[in-house]
Amino acid sequence: MTTYRLEAFTNGAPELADCRIEMVLHNLSDQPLSGAVLAMASITRMAEDAQVFGADIGRRFANYHEFTMPAGLVVPPGGTWSFGFIGARGLPPRHRTDGPKSAVLLRDGAALPVTVGDLHPGPGTPRPGPAKQVPETPLDLPLMAIPWPAALQIDAWQPGHPISLPPTAPAADRAALDTVAALHKRLFPEAAAPLHIGTDGLTLTLIPTDLPGERYRLDFAPEGITLRYGSDQGRFNGLVALAQMTHGALSEPGQFQLPAAGAISDAPRFGWRGAHLDVSRHFWSVAQVMRFLDTMAWARMNRFQWHLTDDEGWRAEILAYPELTRSGAERGPGLALPGQYAHVERRYHGHYTRDEMRAVVAHAAALGIEILPEIDIPGHCTAVLAALPHLVDPDEPADSYRSVQGYPNNALNPALPQTWDFLETVIAELAELFPGRWIHVGADEVPEGAWMDSPAIQRLAQTEGLQGTAAIQSWFLRRVQQMLRHHGKELAGWDEVSHGAGVDQENTLLVAWQRPDLVPALAAQGYRVIASPGQAYYLDMVQAEGWSEPGTAWAGTVTPEVSYAHDPEGMLPEDQRGALAGIQACIWCEHIYTPELFNHMVYPRLHGVAEAGWTPQSARNWPRFATLSARMPRL
Ligand code: TNX
């Protein structure tokens, strides 16, 4: 039963200084309310010097705010309490999800649930306004294929028919078919199996060849279908492509068919076709992560950057530091880490055990996906510092700098010896769990001015001749790179790793997120570059201008079409073509905290990134993609 409800309103002021957020708490209980604290989390934060009205301000921590009812105020049953502030941090609100996401009333040690409505816009703002659009148009060819093949020549079509691999085929081929058939069954349990082992379907013949890398070739003839490949990954890719087109033809016979004559000759545009997932702001269960990997594999994506740590929670079990996944993985009323985003009302906990991480690694590997674990250091470490207070520099004044998300003093301190013991242990444990080549160490968004008031840092800067935050971060990363190499791993990070040029560029992988023009800039400096520009591949961006559209907008409005149309090599000069190692979609979860929101935000843009990663730019086609992408599996 709802007993309290919060509605929030903004005035639509274009400047943060004038931005007013007014909240109205409705007392729908049958008791008068007094002496309570309303705690809420809002990505539009209150400025330190904001003007507060109707309440006294209590604890504030990043998006978390406490407002205390004025002494003597009694809200009768059915009555309301209005309060709020003028003067904000973050971005001026542009969408309904920019206000309070969750709230709770704290009174006499109890946490009373509060339902929270959308942020209401300033006067005159159209509601709902333009919404996400993914048009359906008639198809030129009756082929279900995402990503679209690099080359195809189809001379005749036939109705869908299950495909069978003879039981006499080598065990490795049967096992490969089984992997893809099982993937299909997990994704589409209601649909008929496109592939099976037997003799009663259209016959499939697998032929190993010297086709390089991930390539495959399908030949269609009246006697059956031949798949040629040169590696396990090539065989997997060909089987997924065949399963996808057969699934289409079997489940929508009016729309799709199977080729009866002709060939598909296919090869990926980039070797790295990735997706990243933030499990710190919102915790996704092992089952959800595995399901997400399944949806990636169906589009032949092959890299998963698992963002395991951030200010809001540490999610990877580390044997040496159980606190990381106790207090460091938990936030909520009365805890060291207060609630953030969608979950301030309760204790919110989540982490993966080592066995669970191993199971995810194995699940991914079976689908041809390599996992790149990310521990976000030295910034974004609020949860670490809360769980392991010995890593906090005792001589650094509290709140001497703040991150862009509003966290005070949230960076590991490179001048403390205990920081290095911590990193050595964590890297050793992760290196053992994750067999891939890379460990991603974040390095994003350490605020300008970070560490400057730490006496230990001042001494380090003096001895090492380092000036400013970037130089210190760069010194830090050089040492982290050595540590990783000692454990047989190479360093990956966000584009800020390049600031201060401390690391050895060769064999350093950078995910370029801030702008598309970082791709040529970083490639010219010799880094391996993965393009993940916020302006096209950040799936937490709003998908339309409309007020009702959920998401953030720091990189603009990223419609599915804009995301799809982006050419990741577009800014590379001719002589640098080929310098881009791949592309990646990023799923940050401040705004994505239910499967429904995930599906709205992530698809079809994720599959657009998959196609950009595979299909040559000249063979891409938005209307075709828009129609086919509606058939792709979701979370
Ligand atoms: C920037 S991208 C961040 C994240 C946020 C994201 C939201 C990056 C390396 N840092 O901490 O979640 O923007 O879009």
PDB file of all heavy atoms in Angstrom, residues 306-337:
ATOM      1  N   TRP A 306      33.653  -5.994 -18.600  1.00  0.00           N
ATOM      2  CA  TRP A 306      32.805  -6.156 -17.414  1.00  0.00           C
ATOM      3  C   TRP A 306      33.255  -5.113 -16.400  1.00  0.00           C
ATOM      4  O   TRP A 306      34.300  -5.278 -15.761  1.00  0.00           O
ATOM      5  CB  TRP A 306      32.988  -7.579 -16.887  1.00  0.00           C
ATOM      6  CG  TRP A 306      31.888  -8.105 -16.033  1.00  0.00           C
ATOM      7  CD1 TRP A 306      30.757  -7.469 -15.640  1.00  0.00           C
ATOM      8  CD2 TRP A 306      31.836  -9.427 -15.467  1.00  0.00           C
ATOM      9  NE1 TRP A 306      29.989  -8.310 -14.866  1.00  0.00           N
ATOM     10  CE2 TRP A 306      30.622  -9.512 -14.744  1.00  0.00           C
ATOM     11  CE3 TRP A 306      32.670 -10.543 -15.507  1.00  0.00           C
ATOM     12  CZ2 TRP A 306      30.248 -10.664 -14.057  1.00  0.00           C
ATOM     13  CZ3 TRP A 306      32.293 -11.691 -14.826  1.00  0.00           C
ATOM     14  CH2 TRP A 306      31.100 -11.749 -14.112  1.00  0.00           C
ATOM     15  N   HIS A 307      32.463  -4.052 -16.273  1.00  0.00           N
ATOM     16  CA  HIS A 307      32.802  -2.905 -15.408  1.00  0.00           C
ATOM     17  C   HIS A 307      32.426  -3.274 -13.970  1.00  0.00           C
ATOM     18  O   HIS A 307      31.328  -2.983 -13.503  1.00  0.00           O
ATOM     19  CB  HIS A 307      32.039  -1.675 -15.905  1.00  0.00           C
ATOM     20  CG  HIS A 307      32.367  -0.408 -15.195  1.00  0.00           C
ATOM     21  ND1 HIS A 307      33.481   0.343 -15.481  1.00  0.00           N
ATOM     22  CD2 HIS A 307      31.724   0.254 -14.212  1.00  0.00           C
ATOM     23  CE1 HIS A 307      33.507   1.415 -14.701  1.00  0.00           C
ATOM     24  NE2 HIS A 307      32.442   1.387 -13.915  1.00  0.00           N
ATOM     25  N   LEU A 308      33.363  -3.909 -13.282  1.00  0.00           N
ATOM     26  CA  LEU A 308      33.081  -4.570 -12.004  1.00  0.00           C
ATOM     27  C   LEU A 308      33.128  -3.654 -10.796  1.00  0.00           C
ATOM     28  O   LEU A 308      32.674  -4.048  -9.717  1.00  0.00           O
ATOM     29  CB  LEU A 308      34.086  -5.722 -11.799  1.00  0.00           C
ATOM     30  CG  LEU A 308      33.894  -6.934 -12.713  1.00  0.00           C
ATOM     31  CD1 LEU A 308      35.138  -7.814 -12.717  1.00  0.00           C
ATOM     32  CD2 LEU A 308      32.676  -7.743 -12.270  1.00  0.00           C
ATOM     33  N   THR A 309      33.696  -2.478 -10.956  1.00  0.00           N
ATOM     34  CA  THR A 309      33.839  -1.609  -9.783  1.00  0.00           C
ATOM     35  C   THR A 309      33.571  -0.170 -10.168  1.00  0.00           C
ATOM     36  O   THR A 309      33.834   0.240 -11.304  1.00  0.00           O
ATOM     37  CB  THR A 309      35.275  -1.676  -9.202  1.00  0.00           C
ATOM     38  OG1 THR A 309      36.162  -0.906 -10.024  1.00  0.00           O
ATOM     39  CG2 THR A 309      35.789  -3.100  -9.102  1.00  0.00           C
ATOM     40  N   ASP A 310      33.051   0.566  -9.215  1.00  0.00           N
ATOM     41  CA  ASP A 310      32.882   2.014  -9.407  1.00  0.00           C
ATOM     42  C   ASP A 310      32.618   2.614  -8.030  1.00  0.00           C
ATOM     43  O   ASP A 310      32.627   1.892  -7.022  1.00  0.00           O
ATOM     44  CB  ASP A 310      31.734   2.310 -10.401  1.00  0.00           C
ATOM     45  CG  ASP A 310      32.029   3.580 -11.209  1.00  0.00           C
ATOM     46  OD1 ASP A 310      32.289   4.628 -10.592  1.00  0.00           O
ATOM     47  OD2 ASP A 310      32.011   3.519 -12.455  1.00  0.00           O
ATOM     48  N   ASP A 311      32.386   3.924  -7.992  1.00  0.00           N
ATOM     49  CA  ASP A 311      32.133   4.568  -6.703  1.00  0.00           C
ATOM     50  C   ASP A 311      31.012   3.892  -5.930  1.00  0.00           C
ATOM     51  O   ASP A 311      31.037   3.830  -4.706  1.00  0.00           O
ATOM     52  CB  ASP A 311      31.733   6.038  -6.936  1.00  0.00           C
ATOM     53  CG  ASP A 311      32.899   6.862  -7.445  1.00  0.00           C
ATOM     54  OD1 ASP A 311      33.914   6.955  -6.727  1.00  0.00           O
ATOM     55  OD2 ASP A 311      32.798   7.403  -8.562  1.00  0.00           O
ATOM     56  N   GLU A 312      30.014   3.401  -6.660  1.00  0.00           N
ATOM     57  CA  GLU A 312      28.785   2.947  -6.011  1.00  0.00           C
ATOM     58  C   GLU A 312      28.823   1.491  -5.579  1.00  0.00           C
ATOM     59  O   GLU A 312      27.835   0.985  -5.041  1.00  0.00           O
ATOM     60  CB  GLU A 312      27.596   3.179  -6.942  1.00  0.00           C
ATOM     61  CG  GLU A 312      27.308   4.648  -7.215  1.00  0.00           C
ATOM     62  CD  GLU A 312      28.195   5.240  -8.305  1.00  0.00           C
ATOM     63  OE1 GLU A 312      29.090   4.532  -8.812  1.00  0.00           O
ATOM     64  OE2 GLU A 312      27.988   6.421  -8.638  1.00  0.00           O
ATOM     65  N   GLY A 313      29.925   0.772  -5.820  1.00  0.00           N
ATOM     66  CA  GLY A 313      29.974  -0.616  -5.354  1.00  0.00           C
ATOM     67  C   GLY A 313      31.064  -1.408  -6.047  1.00  0.00           C
ATOM     68  O   GLY A 313      31.315  -1.224  -7.236  1.00  0.00           O
ATOM     69  N   TRP A 314      31.698  -2.290  -5.260  1.00  0.00           N
ATOM     70  CA  TRP A 314      32.725  -3.204  -5.780  1.00  0.00           C
ATOM     71  C   TRP A 314      32.064  -4.562  -5.915  1.00  0.00           C
ATOM     72  O   TRP A 314      31.474  -5.069  -4.953  1.00  0.00           O
ATOM     73  CB  TRP A 314      33.909  -3.250  -4.804  1.00  0.00           C
ATOM     74  CG  TRP A 314      35.012  -4.163  -5.239  1.00  0.00           C
ATOM     75  CD1 TRP A 314      35.005  -5.526  -5.203  1.00  0.00           C
ATOM     76  CD2 TRP A 314      36.283  -3.776  -5.779  1.00  0.00           C
ATOM     77  NE1 TRP A 314      36.204  -6.006  -5.696  1.00  0.00           N
ATOM     78  CE2 TRP A 314      37.007  -4.957  -6.049  1.00  0.00           C
ATOM     79  CE3 TRP A 314      36.898  -2.541  -6.047  1.00  0.00           C
ATOM     80  CZ2 TRP A 314      38.295  -4.948  -6.578  1.00  0.00           C
ATOM     81  CZ3 TRP A 314      38.184  -2.540  -6.573  1.00  0.00           C
ATOM     82  CH2 TRP A 314      38.862  -3.726  -6.833  1.00  0.00           C
ATOM     83  N   ARG A 315      32.128  -5.182  -7.076  1.00  0.00           N
ATOM     84  CA  ARG A 315      31.303  -6.374  -7.324  1.00  0.00           C
ATOM     85  C   ARG A 315      32.075  -7.678  -7.484  1.00  0.00           C
ATOM     86  O   ARG A 315      31.451  -8.711  -7.711  1.00  0.00           O
ATOM     87  CB  ARG A 315      30.458  -6.160  -8.590  1.00  0.00           C
ATOM     88  CG  ARG A 315      29.657  -4.866  -8.609  1.00  0.00           C
ATOM     89  CD  ARG A 315      28.445  -4.944  -7.730  1.00  0.00           C
ATOM     90  NE  ARG A 315      27.725  -3.678  -7.660  1.00  0.00           N
ATOM     91  CZ  ARG A 315      27.156  -3.228  -6.548  1.00  0.00           C
ATOM     92  NH1 ARG A 315      27.201  -3.929  -5.429  1.00  0.00           N
ATOM     93  NH2 ARG A 315      26.531  -2.074  -6.540  1.00  0.00           N
ATOM     94  N   ALA A 316      33.398  -7.657  -7.444  1.00  0.00           N
ATOM     95  CA  ALA A 316      34.164  -8.881  -7.712  1.00  0.00           C
ATOM     96  C   ALA A 316      34.789  -9.386  -6.424  1.00  0.00           C
ATOM     97  O   ALA A 316      35.547  -8.660  -5.768  1.00  0.00           O
ATOM     98  CB  ALA A 316      35.258  -8.595  -8.735  1.00  0.00           C
ATOM     99  N   GLU A 317      34.471 -10.629  -6.077  1.00  0.00           N
ATOM    100  CA  GLU A 317      35.052 -11.194  -4.870  1.00  0.00           C
ATOM    101  C   GLU A 317      36.581 -11.246  -4.981  1.00  0.00           C
ATOM    102  O   GLU A 317      37.124 -11.746  -5.978  1.00  0.00           O
ATOM    103  CB  GLU A 317      34.536 -12.621  -4.644  1.00  0.00           C
ATOM    104  CG  GLU A 317      35.129 -13.239  -3.393  1.00  0.00           C
ATOM    105  CD  GLU A 317      34.730 -14.698  -3.158  1.00  0.00           C
ATOM    106  OE1 GLU A 317      34.388 -15.401  -4.130  1.00  0.00           O
ATOM    107  OE2 GLU A 317      34.752 -15.126  -1.994  1.00  0.00           O
ATOM    108  N   ILE A 318      37.258 -10.714  -3.958  1.00  0.00           N
ATOM    109  CA  ILE A 318      38.715 -10.792  -3.874  1.00  0.00           C
ATOM    110  C   ILE A 318      38.997 -11.472  -2.531  1.00  0.00           C
ATOM    111  O   ILE A 318      38.626 -10.945  -1.475  1.00  0.00           O
ATOM    112  CB  ILE A 318      39.345  -9.374  -3.913  1.00  0.00           C
ATOM    113  CG1 ILE A 318      38.964  -8.626  -5.207  1.00  0.00           C
ATOM    114  CG2 ILE A 318      40.867  -9.449  -3.737  1.00  0.00           C
ATOM    115  CD1 ILE A 318      39.544  -9.179  -6.495  1.00  0.00           C
ATOM    116  N   LEU A 319      39.621 -12.642  -2.582  1.00  0.00           N
ATOM    117  CA  LEU A 319      39.787 -13.442  -1.353  1.00  0.00           C
ATOM    118  C   LEU A 319      40.504 -12.669  -0.258  1.00  0.00           C
ATOM    119  O   LEU A 319      40.141 -12.735   0.912  1.00  0.00           O
ATOM    120  CB  LEU A 319      40.579 -14.717  -1.665  1.00  0.00           C
ATOM    121  CG  LEU A 319      39.838 -15.772  -2.487  1.00  0.00           C
ATOM    122  CD1 LEU A 319      40.744 -16.957  -2.745  1.00  0.00           C
ATOM    123  CD2 LEU A 319      38.552 -16.189  -1.785  1.00  0.00           C
ATOM    124  N   ALA A 320      41.502 -11.900  -0.653  1.00  0.00           N
ATOM    125  CA  ALA A 320      42.318 -11.212   0.353  1.00  0.00           C
ATOM    126  C   ALA A 320      41.574 -10.065   1.026  1.00  0.00           C
ATOM    127  O   ALA A 320      41.984  -9.620   2.100  1.00  0.00           O
ATOM    128  CB  ALA A 320      43.601 -10.698  -0.288  1.00  0.00           C
ATOM    129  N   TYR A 321      40.519  -9.575   0.401  1.00  0.00           N
ATOM    130  CA  TYR A 321      39.808  -8.404   0.949  1.00  0.00           C
ATOM    131  C   TYR A 321      38.298  -8.646   0.982  1.00  0.00           C
ATOM    132  O   TYR A 321      37.556  -8.071   0.175  1.00  0.00           O
ATOM    133  CB  TYR A 321      40.104  -7.160   0.105  1.00  0.00           C
ATOM    134  CG  TYR A 321      41.550  -6.754   0.075  1.00  0.00           C
ATOM    135  CD1 TYR A 321      42.318  -6.938  -1.068  1.00  0.00           C
ATOM    136  CD2 TYR A 321      42.148  -6.178   1.194  1.00  0.00           C
ATOM    137  CE1 TYR A 321      43.651  -6.564  -1.102  1.00  0.00           C
ATOM    138  CE2 TYR A 321      43.485  -5.805   1.165  1.00  0.00           C
ATOM    139  CZ  TYR A 321      44.228  -6.003   0.017  1.00  0.00           C
ATOM    140  OH  TYR A 321      45.541  -5.637  -0.018  1.00  0.00           O
ATOM    141  N   PRO A 322      37.844  -9.478   1.927  1.00  0.00           N
ATOM    142  CA  PRO A 322      36.394  -9.758   1.958  1.00  0.00           C
ATOM    143  C   PRO A 322      35.550  -8.496   2.155  1.00  0.00           C
ATOM    144  O   PRO A 322      34.397  -8.460   1.711  1.00  0.00           O
ATOM    145  CB  PRO A 322      36.235 -10.725   3.138  1.00  0.00           C
ATOM    146  CG  PRO A 322      37.550 -10.814   3.822  1.00  0.00           C
ATOM    147  CD  PRO A 322      38.596 -10.248   2.930  1.00  0.00           C
ATOM    148  N   GLU A 323      36.111  -7.460   2.767  1.00  0.00           N
ATOM    149  CA  GLU A 323      35.333  -6.233   2.987  1.00  0.00           C
ATOM    150  C   GLU A 323      34.875  -5.594   1.674  1.00  0.00           C
ATOM    151  O   GLU A 323      33.856  -4.905   1.634  1.00  0.00           O
ATOM    152  CB  GLU A 323      36.153  -5.211   3.791  1.00  0.00           C
ATOM    153  CG  GLU A 323      36.025  -5.366   5.295  1.00  0.00           C
ATOM    154  CD  GLU A 323      34.575  -5.513   5.757  1.00  0.00           C
ATOM    155  OE1 GLU A 323      33.705  -4.742   5.271  1.00  0.00           O
ATOM    156  OE2 GLU A 323      34.303  -6.400   6.582  1.00  0.00           O
ATOM    157  N   LEU A 324      35.660  -5.811   0.616  1.00  0.00           N
ATOM    158  CA  LEU A 324      35.296  -5.180  -0.663  1.00  0.00           C
ATOM    159  C   LEU A 324      33.907  -5.594  -1.106  1.00  0.00           C
ATOM    160  O   LEU A 324      33.160  -4.788  -1.673  1.00  0.00           O
ATOM    161  CB  LEU A 324      36.302  -5.567  -1.755  1.00  0.00           C
ATOM    162  CG  LEU A 324      37.649  -4.860  -1.730  1.00  0.00           C
ATOM    163  CD1 LEU A 324      38.557  -5.465  -2.795  1.00  0.00           C
ATOM    164  CD2 LEU A 324      37.480  -3.366  -1.962  1.00  0.00           C
ATOM    165  N   THR A 325      33.576  -6.860  -0.876  1.00  0.00           N
ATOM    166  CA  THR A 325      32.263  -7.329  -1.318  1.00  0.00           C
ATOM    167  C   THR A 325      31.280  -7.447  -0.152  1.00  0.00           C
ATOM    168  O   THR A 325      30.199  -8.002  -0.303  1.00  0.00           O
ATOM    169  CB  THR A 325      32.379  -8.672  -2.071  1.00  0.00           C
ATOM    170  OG1 THR A 325      33.276  -9.527  -1.361  1.00  0.00           O
ATOM    171  CG2 THR A 325      32.920  -8.430  -3.468  1.00  0.00           C
ATOM    172  N   ARG A 326      31.683  -6.907   1.006  1.00  0.00           N
ATOM    173  CA  ARG A 326      30.693  -6.721   2.081  1.00  0.00           C
ATOM    174  C   ARG A 326      30.310  -5.247   2.060  1.00  0.00           C
ATOM    175  O   ARG A 326      29.468  -4.843   1.273  1.00  0.00           O
ATOM    176  CB  ARG A 326      31.295  -7.126   3.428  1.00  0.00           C
ATOM    177  CG  ARG A 326      31.316  -8.631   3.592  1.00  0.00           C
ATOM    178  CD  ARG A 326      31.672  -9.027   5.029  1.00  0.00           C
ATOM    179  NE  ARG A 326      32.235 -10.369   5.050  1.00  0.00           N
ATOM    180  CZ  ARG A 326      33.345 -10.706   5.703  1.00  0.00           C
ATOM    181  NH1 ARG A 326      34.012  -9.811   6.426  1.00  0.00           N
ATOM    182  NH2 ARG A 326      33.786 -11.942   5.675  1.00  0.00           N
ATOM    183  N   SER A 327      30.965  -4.434   2.908  1.00  0.00           N
ATOM    184  CA  SER A 327      30.567  -3.021   2.939  1.00  0.00           C
ATOM    185  C   SER A 327      30.816  -2.327   1.601  1.00  0.00           C
ATOM    186  O   SER A 327      30.118  -1.375   1.254  1.00  0.00           O
ATOM    187  CB  SER A 327      31.297  -2.305   4.062  1.00  0.00           C
ATOM    188  OG  SER A 327      32.689  -2.459   3.925  1.00  0.00           O
ATOM    189  N   GLY A 328      31.797  -2.822   0.836  1.00  0.00           N
ATOM    190  CA  GLY A 328      32.101  -2.179  -0.442  1.00  0.00           C
ATOM    191  C   GLY A 328      31.112  -2.499  -1.545  1.00  0.00           C
ATOM    192  O   GLY A 328      31.164  -1.907  -2.622  1.00  0.00           O
ATOM    193  N   ALA A 329      30.225  -3.441  -1.276  1.00  0.00           N
ATOM    194  CA  ALA A 329      29.257  -3.834  -2.312  1.00  0.00           C
ATOM    195  C   ALA A 329      27.839  -3.505  -1.874  1.00  0.00           C
ATOM    196  O   ALA A 329      26.880  -3.967  -2.479  1.00  0.00           O
ATOM    197  CB  ALA A 329      29.380  -5.325  -2.596  1.00  0.00           C
ATOM    198  N   GLU A 330      27.738  -2.708  -0.823  1.00  0.00           N
ATOM    199  CA  GLU A 330      26.419  -2.493  -0.235  1.00  0.00           C
ATOM    200  C   GLU A 330      26.197  -1.006   0.008  1.00  0.00           C
ATOM    201  O   GLU A 330      27.082  -0.306   0.475  1.00  0.00           O
ATOM    202  CB  GLU A 330      26.359  -3.242   1.089  1.00  0.00           C
ATOM    203  CG  GLU A 330      24.991  -3.269   1.692  1.00  0.00           C
ATOM    204  CD  GLU A 330      24.875  -4.315   2.800  1.00  0.00           C
ATOM    205  OE1 GLU A 330      25.825  -4.435   3.597  1.00  0.00           O
ATOM    206  OE2 GLU A 330      23.850  -4.984   2.847  1.00  0.00           O
ATOM    207  N   ARG A 331      25.017  -0.541  -0.263  1.00  0.00           N
ATOM    208  CA  ARG A 331      24.672   0.840   0.054  1.00  0.00           C
ATOM    209  C   ARG A 331      23.243   0.867   0.580  1.00  0.00           C
ATOM    210  O   ARG A 331      22.458  -0.042   0.306  1.00  0.00           O
ATOM    211  CB  ARG A 331      24.860   1.738  -1.171  1.00  0.00           C
ATOM    212  CG  ARG A 331      24.214   1.230  -2.434  1.00  0.00           C
ATOM    213  CD  ARG A 331      24.595   2.101  -3.640  1.00  0.00           C
ATOM    214  NE  ARG A 331      23.625   1.960  -4.701  1.00  0.00           N
ATOM    215  CZ  ARG A 331      23.898   1.520  -5.930  1.00  0.00           C
ATOM    216  NH1 ARG A 331      25.127   1.200  -6.271  1.00  0.00           N
ATOM    217  NH2 ARG A 331      22.939   1.423  -6.828  1.00  0.00           N
ATOM    218  N   GLY A 332      22.931   1.910   1.342  1.00  0.00           N
ATOM    219  CA  GLY A 332      21.565   1.974   1.859  1.00  0.00           C
ATOM    220  C   GLY A 332      21.488   2.769   3.141  1.00  0.00           C
ATOM    221  O   GLY A 332      22.502   3.260   3.641  1.00  0.00           O
ATOM    222  N   PRO A 333      20.268   2.885   3.694  1.00  0.00           N
ATOM    223  CA  PRO A 333      20.063   3.702   4.890  1.00  0.00           C
ATOM    224  C   PRO A 333      20.984   3.263   6.026  1.00  0.00           C
ATOM    225  O   PRO A 333      21.065   2.079   6.341  1.00  0.00           O
ATOM    226  CB  PRO A 333      18.593   3.448   5.251  1.00  0.00           C
ATOM    227  CG  PRO A 333      17.953   2.967   3.993  1.00  0.00           C
ATOM    228  CD  PRO A 333      19.027   2.270   3.210  1.00  0.00           C
ATOM    229  N   GLY A 334      21.692   4.206   6.584  1.00  0.00           N
ATOM    230  CA  GLY A 334      22.528   3.928   7.744  1.00  0.00           C
ATOM    231  C   GLY A 334      23.865   3.288   7.425  1.00  0.00           C
ATOM    232  O   GLY A 334      24.663   3.038   8.322  1.00  0.00           O
ATOM    233  N   LEU A 335      24.167   3.014   6.170  1.00  0.00           N
ATOM    234  CA  LEU A 335      25.434   2.362   5.830  1.00  0.00           C
ATOM    235  C   LEU A 335      26.489   3.406   5.455  1.00  0.00           C
ATOM    236  O   LEU A 335      26.171   4.567   5.203  1.00  0.00           O
ATOM    237  CB  LEU A 335      25.235   1.390   4.662  1.00  0.00           C
ATOM    238  CG  LEU A 335      24.218   0.277   4.910  1.00  0.00           C
ATOM    239  CD1 LEU A 335      24.018  -0.560   3.655  1.00  0.00           C
ATOM    240  CD2 LEU A 335      24.686  -0.598   6.076  1.00  0.00           C
ATOM    241  N   ALA A 336      27.748   2.935   5.408  1.00  0.00           N
ATOM    242  CA  ALA A 336      28.837   3.841   5.038  1.00  0.00           C
ATOM    243  C   ALA A 336      28.576   4.449   3.667  1.00  0.00           C
ATOM    244  O   ALA A 336      28.820   5.634   3.435  1.00  0.00           O
ATOM    245  CB  ALA A 336      30.158   3.074   5.034  1.00  0.00           C
ATOM    246  N   LEU A 337      28.100   3.624   2.744  1.00  0.00           N
ATOM    247  CA  LEU A 337      27.732   4.132   1.418  1.00  0.00           C
ATOM    248  C   LEU A 337      26.225   4.347   1.399  1.00  0.00           C
ATOM    249  O   LEU A 337      25.464   3.377   1.483  1.00  0.00           O
ATOM    250  CB  LEU A 337      28.103   3.114   0.333  1.00  0.00           C
ATOM    251  CG  LEU A 337      29.591   2.828   0.118  1.00  0.00           C
ATOM    252  CD1 LEU A 337      29.769   1.661  -0.857  1.00  0.00           C
ATOM    253  CD2 LEU A 337      30.302   4.065  -0.422  1.00  0.00           C
TER     254      LEU A 337
END
